[in-house]
Amino acid sequence: MVVAWRVASFVISLIAFAIHIGYEHSGLGNRPVIVALHSSLGVALGAFLLAVAANIHSIGAANSNHRLLAIALIIWPVMTGIPAFVVALIAAGGLHFFGRAKG
């Protein structure tokens, strides 16, 4: 059951990421770089909040490594934000290119 929840959360996150890119591109009409920046900042914010939650959860755990969890406040947003920027830039660039090709 744990695997099903993890897969479901991954799919929901992927859908939210795709909707964010689509809305920024089609709804707001932003350039691909701006779309990628906004989308990746959303991903990085989510990773930061997840790291904050892990730090709060570790307060009650006796055997957790608080130093590594403190480092996670910086590492997790960077580890997720940079690849998200690249993926969003490619996706938004593709939407922009194919949108111009049609019209």
Side-chain angles (χ1 to χ4, degrees):
M1 194 64 180
V2 172
V3 173
W5 279 107
R6 288 183 183 164
V7 169
S9 68
F10 178 77
V11 169
I12 290 169
S13 297
L14 183 65
I15 290 169
F17 186 60
I19 289 172
H20 192 154
I21 291 170
Y23 175 71
E24 286 273 340
H25 173 73
S26 299
L28 299 178
N30 287 333
R31 294 178 295 136
V33 174
I34 301 299
V35 171
L37 181 64
H38 289 173
S39 299
S40 64
L41 286 176
V43 169
L45 177 63
F48 176 75
L49 293 175
L50 190 61
V52 168
N55 276 280
I56 292 171
H57 179 72
S58 75
I59 292 171
N63 60 356
S64 63
N65 191 339
H66 298 289
R67 182 175 295 138
L68 285 177
L69 284 171
I71 293 171
L73 292 168
I74 297 170
I75 298 298
W76 289 2
V78 171
M79 277 181 35
T80 58
I82 292 172
F85 179 83
V86 172
V87 170
L89 186 60
I90 292 168
L95 287 173
H96 183 72
F97 177 76
F98 288 116
R100 291 179 79 178
K102 284 184 179 180

